[in-house]
């Protein structure tokens, strides 16, 4: 008699999980549908010319290069400061 309750509980959990999977599928379908709709609206406007796109790409590359140079300088300065601190601590010990 004790196993009937366990079996009933297992069947109930299976039914709940089936319902949850169905709801998750529906949510995924809805999310996928919204994303494809959003993607359609984010295409490039026809008013941009090829020259303008190339200019934007060039400016983006220049900005990335400037950011990389800036990060390198920060790392270099920080490394030198740590080196100087280590040297000073080494001389006074």
């Amino acid at each position: 008699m004790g196993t009937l309750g366990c079996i009933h509980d297992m069947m109930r959990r299976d039914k709940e999980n089936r319902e949850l999977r169905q709801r998750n599928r529906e949510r995924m379908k809805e999310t996928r549908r919204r994303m494809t709709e959003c993607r359609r609206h984010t295409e490039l406007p026809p008013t941009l010319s090829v020259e303008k796109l190339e200019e934007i790409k060039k400016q983006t590359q220049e900005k990335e290069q400037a950011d990389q140079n800036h990060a390198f300088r920060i790392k270099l300065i920080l490394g030198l400061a740590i080196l100087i601190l280590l040297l000073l601590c080494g001389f006074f010990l």
Side-chain angles (χ1 to χ4, degrees):
M1 275 311 221
T3 59
L4 289 178
C6 292
I7 292 172
H8 178 68
D9 186 46
M10 182 181 66
M11 290 170 62
R12 182 183 52 79
R13 281 185 279 129
D14 283 345
K15 181 180 177 184
E16 290 172 355
N17 287 339
R18 247 182 273 124
E19 292 170 357
L20 284 173
R21 283 193 307 265
Q22 182 64 27
R23 273 190 258 145
N24 285 341
R25 270 189 228 115
E26 290 170 1
R27 263 191 264 148
M28 280 300 290
K29 286 179 183 177
E30 178 66 23
T31 302
R32 188 176 294 134
R33 185 188 62 79
R34 279 188 280 135
M35 288 180 73
T36 55
E37 284 179 6
C38 181
R39 191 179 307 149
R40 289 181 195 149
H41 299 296
T42 59
E43 293 177 0
L44 293 174
T47 57
L48 286 177
S49 65
V50 176
E51 293 82 17
K52 184 69 173 172
L53 288 174
E54 289 175 357
E55 182 64 28
I56 292 171
K57 187 176 181 179
K58 181 182 174 190
Q59 289 174 352
T60 304
Q61 289 173 347
E62 290 173 355
K63 174 75 169 127
E64 288 175 354
Q65 185 66 34
D67 289 345
Q68 287 176 355
N69 290 341
H70 185 69
F72 177 74
R73 284 189 205 119
I74 289 174
K75 290 176 187 176
L76 184 65
I77 292 170
L78 187 62
L80 289 174
I82 290 173
L83 182 65
I84 291 171
L85 285 175
L86 289 174
L87 289 174
L88 288 176
C89 290
F91 285 125
F92 293 117
L93 288 178

